[in-house]
Amino acid sequence: QVQLVESGGDWVQPGGSLRLSCAASGFTVDYYAIGWFRQAPGKEREGVSCISTSGLSILYLDSVQGRFTGSRDNAKKTVYLHMNDLKPEDTAVYYCAAKQNSCVINGLLYDNWGQGTQVTVSS
């Protein structure tokens, strides 16, 4: 059974940092690109990042470029999103999702999703 479980969400002050984790089970994660998405209250879901199967190619939403860094440890079947210099507009539920092969930031192309983890940035 394919399962993705996010963790690491929390409340932080502006300028703070968090590391989100996405633990995968039930499938060979090495063959899957992992995307990070977020959805704020009253807003549509948006793609934040995609980490390729090898971790060598990573795509980012323009507004997080330079602040967020994606990485993965296939041996641990875990993908990470390191978030620095967090801003109030980063507040959202963050989801990871898996799709086979190539990396894209388009949620419609992802088959498997986690349950989400809440990130709140406020003073």
Side-chain angles (χ1 to χ4, degrees), residues 20 35-39 45-51 58-65 67-69 81 83 90 92-95 104-106:
L20 304 184
W36 285 99
F37 299 84
R38 66 187 181 187
Q39 188 164 22
R45 182 182 64 197
E46 65 177 352
V48 175
S49 180
C50 179
I51 298 98
I58 306 175
L59 305 177
Y60 295 102
L61 178 69
D62 285 349
S63 63
V64 307
Q65 182 80 44
R67 299 188 297 120
F68 290 12
T69 302
L81 185 67
M83 306 187 295
D90 295 317
V93 178
Y94 283 71
Y95 301 88
V104 294
I105 304 183
N106 180 341

Side-chain angles (χ1 to χ4, degrees), residues 37-109:
F37 299 84
R38 66 187 181 187
Q39 188 164 22
K43 295 187 176 181
E44 293 188 355
R45 182 182 64 197
E46 65 177 352
V48 175
S49 180
C50 179
I51 298 98
S52 68
T53 54
S54 66
L56 296 178
S57 176
I58 306 175
L59 305 177
Y60 295 102
L61 178 69
D62 285 349
S63 63
V64 307
Q65 182 80 44
R67 299 188 297 120
F68 290 12
T69 302
S71 66
R72 64 192 293 160
D73 185 337
N74 286 344
K76 294 183 178 180
K77 304 187 74 172
T78 303
V79 179
Y80 304 98
L81 185 67
H82 306 258
M83 306 187 295
N84 297 317
D85 190 23
L86 282 160
K87 306 176 185 298
E89 51 264 41
D90 295 317
T91 296
V93 178
Y94 283 71
Y95 301 88
C96 64
K99 68 176 293 292
Q100 290 189 354
N101 301 322
S102 62
C103 218
V104 294
I105 304 183
N106 180 341
L108 296 176
L109 300 179

